[in-house]
């Protein structure tokens, strides 16, 4: 069977980490006798430079014609002053809505070998953690009405953004999270700001309504400010978390740092079909782009998520994850994972080869 994968390298370290993930996919394809057919498309700043648009129609069409999409990262300081609709990051919003992807799932786990790289107290790290953050992706304040207007109060300009969620939007992300919790420890924490926001009060109501359909899952609510604190105080208390677009954006970056490096964390975005968008949670890291030192693990693990969630190739996905863990256990470290240790630093290519060796 052939699987068509759209590769969107993007900007900065995007091309470097996508090349690594492609090598891993090719190797795993050989091992499990599966054929992956890759097509590359422009996205982000690179697409803007070549075509004048951060998400050319050809790229969206290519993604729609593929079985799944693997993306590097977009953005860079050279495009920061463009009008909003031309900025590279707009491509991400357009891709998510163009592909109908409303759930973003980010696994955050503590690797045995990297316990020393976590900024948390050793007693907290010793307990370990393995959290899944389910973030709503196509609603809320990032997509609500926004604008500028004259403020009569201060006799000057003011700006506004609007958080708006419908019952249907909350229900569909809630179902993703409840299903995820069913397949794990059956604990779900819904994070909101229901003491202040009306949209959060509706969020909470809908989650509780849904929980009647999932009596085996224990649902708990938590306010987002408390959640930000609890993630650092006792991350092991969480299993599956479900939250809105903006809260999920912020909390997942916070959680990622608990593992030691943003360069480790993959993500998957899915809608109603098996076609997903898989990408590392980090950005284009312009400060290290072109130096060959980016950590490829987040993108390699994103490829593993693709095999599992879009293609159902569980053994192949597990083997990639096991090879990554084995490389970390053997002391392989890119620069971002050093954290004061004296281990020799591996380049992006060397780390990829260490993982390949263990596949
Ligand atoms: P960033 O994630 O690119 O970088 C933050 C820090 O982490 C930097 O010091 C960087 O060197 C380091 N880092 C990130 N990924 C790494 C990796 N794989 N290996 C080693 N170190 C890594 O975030 P930023 O600096 O805030 O943003 C840079 C650009 O990326 C901006 O234009 C931003 O808009 C864009 N961005 C894109 C995405 C995306 O494409 N999904 C996500 C976030 C930010």
């Amino acid at each position: 069977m052939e699987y068509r994968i759209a590769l969107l390298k993007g900007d900065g370290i995007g091309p470097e980490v996508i090349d690594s993930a492609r090598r891993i996919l090719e190797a795993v394809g050989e091992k499990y006798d599966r054929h992956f057919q890759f097509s590359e498309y422009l996205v982000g700043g690179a697409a803007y430079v070549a075509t004048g648009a951060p998400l050319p129609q050809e790229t969206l069409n290519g993604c729609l014609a593929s079985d799944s999409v693997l993306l590097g990262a977009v953005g860079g300081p050279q495009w920061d002053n463009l009008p909003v609709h031309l900025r590279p990051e707009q491509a991400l919003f357009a891709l998510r809505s163009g592909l109908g992807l409303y759930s973003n799932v980010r696994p955050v786990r503590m690797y045995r070998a990297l316990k020393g790289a976590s900024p948390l107290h050793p007693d907290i790290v010793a307990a370990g953690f393995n959290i899944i953050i389910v973030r709503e992706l196509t609603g809320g304040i990032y997509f609500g009405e926004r604008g500028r207007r004259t403020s009569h109060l201060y006799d000057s300009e003011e700006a506004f953004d609007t958080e708006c969620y419908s019952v249907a939007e909350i229900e569909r992300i809630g179902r993703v999270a409840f299903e995820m919790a069913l397949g794990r420890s059956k604990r779900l924490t819904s994070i909101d700001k229901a003491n202040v926001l009306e949209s959060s009060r509706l969020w909470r109501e809908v989650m509780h309504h849904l929980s009647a359909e999932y009596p085996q899952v224990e649902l708990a609510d938590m306010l987002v400010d408390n959640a930000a604190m609890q993630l650092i105080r006792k991350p092991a208390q969480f299993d599956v978390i479900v939250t809105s677009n903006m809260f999920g954006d912020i909390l997942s970056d916070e959680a990622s740092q608990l593992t030691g490096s943003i360069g480790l964390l993959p993500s998957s975005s899915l809608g109603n079909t098996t076609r997903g968008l898989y990408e590392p949670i980090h950005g284009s890291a312009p400060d290290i782009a072109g130096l060959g030192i980016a950590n490829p693990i987040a993108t390699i693990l994103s490829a593993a998520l693709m095999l599992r969630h879009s293609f159902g190739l569980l053994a192949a996905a597990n083997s990639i994850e096991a090879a990554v863990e084995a490389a970390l256990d053997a002391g392989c470290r890119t620069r971002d994972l050093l954290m004061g240790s004296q281990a020799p630093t591996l380049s992006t290519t060397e780390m990829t080869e260490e993982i390949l060796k263990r596949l």
Side-chain angles (χ1 to χ4, degrees):
M1 168 147 183
E2 186 168 89
Y3 301 89
R4 292 162 302 171
I5 300 175
L7 290 181
L8 275 49
K9 292 182 169 179
D11 309 314
I13 60 170
E16 302 164 46
V17 293
I18 287 287
D19 285 346
S20 294
R22 180 178 178 150
R23 288 182 65 192
I24 300 283
L25 281 170
E26 281 166 350
V28 95
E30 245 172 68
K31 181 173 169 183
Y32 289 93
D33 199 19
R34 294 286 188 277
H35 183 64
F36 301 119
Q37 189 214 314
F38 300 100
S39 307
E40 290 190 14
Y41 299 97
L42 290 169
V43 72
Y48 169 74
V49 169
T51 70
L55 183 70
Q57 192 60 44
E58 191 196 338
T59 299
L60 184 57
N61 291 346
C63 292
L64 287 167
S66 301
D67 297 313
S68 226
V69 183
L70 187 63
L71 180 127
V74 298
Q78 62 273 53
W79 301 297
D80 279 352
N81 295 322
L82 285 173
V84 170
H85 69 286
L86 295 177
R87 289 188 52 156
E89 293 78 3
Q90 284 307 308
L92 299 177
F93 295 120
L95 259 177
R96 287 166 189 165
S97 42
L99 298 175
L101 309 173
Y102 57 80
S103 77
N104 181 241
V105 175
R106 298 181 172 190
V108 185
R109 56 168 292 202
M110 183 83 250
Y111 283 97
R112 201 172 40 225
L114 293 179
K115 288 192 166 173
S118 174
L120 294 178
H121 188 281
D123 290 349
I124 301 174
V125 170
F129 53 86
N130 186 340
I131 306 170
I132 300 267
I133 300 181
V134 180
R135 166 189 169 196
E136 199 289 326
L137 204 57
T138 51
I141 198 163
Y142 293 173
F143 288 87
E145 196 189 333
R146 72 191 56 176
R148 293 191 183 215
R149 64 189 166 205
T150 307
S151 162
H152 299 297
L153 192 58
Y154 300 110
D155 198 19
S156 72
E157 199 180 19
E158 64 184 13
F160 65 96
D161 299 273
T162 320
E163 169 95 351
C164 178
Y165 269 116
S166 67
V167 170
E169 281 174 318
I170 304 169
E171 264 180 7
R172 68 181 184 183
I173 192 68
R175 284 213 160 80
V176 173
F178 274 104
E179 292 291 336
M180 195 76 71
L182 261 186
R184 290 173 48 106
S185 74
K186 303 186 174 53
R187 283 185 297 120
L188 175 63
T189 310
S190 170
I191 294 176
D192 61 38
K193 187 71 183 168
N195 54 342
V196 179
L197 301 177
E198 200 53 47
S199 53
S200 277
R201 282 192 275 274
L202 181 66
W203 179 280
R204 200 175 271 211
E205 259 172 59
V206 175
M207 287 297 163
H208 281 267
H209 190 74
L210 260 187
S211 79
E213 288 178 33
Y214 297 90
Q216 311 92 315
V217 176
E218 186 194 324
L219 172 69
D221 304 300
M222 193 178 278
L223 295 174
V224 64
D225 37 353
N226 185 25
M229 190 173 75
Q230 296 298 336
L231 269 172
I232 293 170
R233 200 182 72 83
K234 198 177 171 194
Q237 71 185 284
F238 296 105
D239 190 61
V240 181
I241 285 174
V242 62
T243 192
S244 64
N245 203 342
M246 181 168 68
F247 295 161
D249 192 9
I250 298 167
L251 291 178
S252 55
D253 267 27
E254 180 194 352
S256 74
Q257 201 50 49
L258 307 182
T259 65
S261 171
I262 197 169
L264 291 170
L265 296 193
S267 80
S268 61
S269 303
L270 283 156
N272 287 332
T273 71
T274 56
R275 187 197 307 109
L277 172 68
Y278 298 84
E279 54 180 324
I281 78 156
H282 60 72
S284 60
D287 52 333
I288 58 165
L291 301 181
I293 58 171
N295 187 345
I297 289 180
T299 314
I300 290 170
L301 292 176
S302 301
L305 291 182
M306 171 190 287
L307 299 187
R308 180 175 298 121
H309 296 309
S310 282
F311 304 156
L313 301 175
L314 306 190
N318 292 342
S319 78
I320 294 179
E321 288 164 352
V324 166
E325 186 148 18
L328 292 173
D329 282 345
C332 302
R333 301 283 185 271
T334 42
R335 199 185 63 166
D336 54 303
L337 298 175
L338 277 186
M339 297 284 167
S341 103
Q342 298 302 310
T345 315
L346 299 185
S347 68
T348 308
T349 313
E350 286 164 341
M351 179 59 114
T352 309
E353 271 151 19
E354 292 295 338
I355 297 167
L356 278 171
K357 258 196 248 169
R358 293 170 172 83
L359 257 181

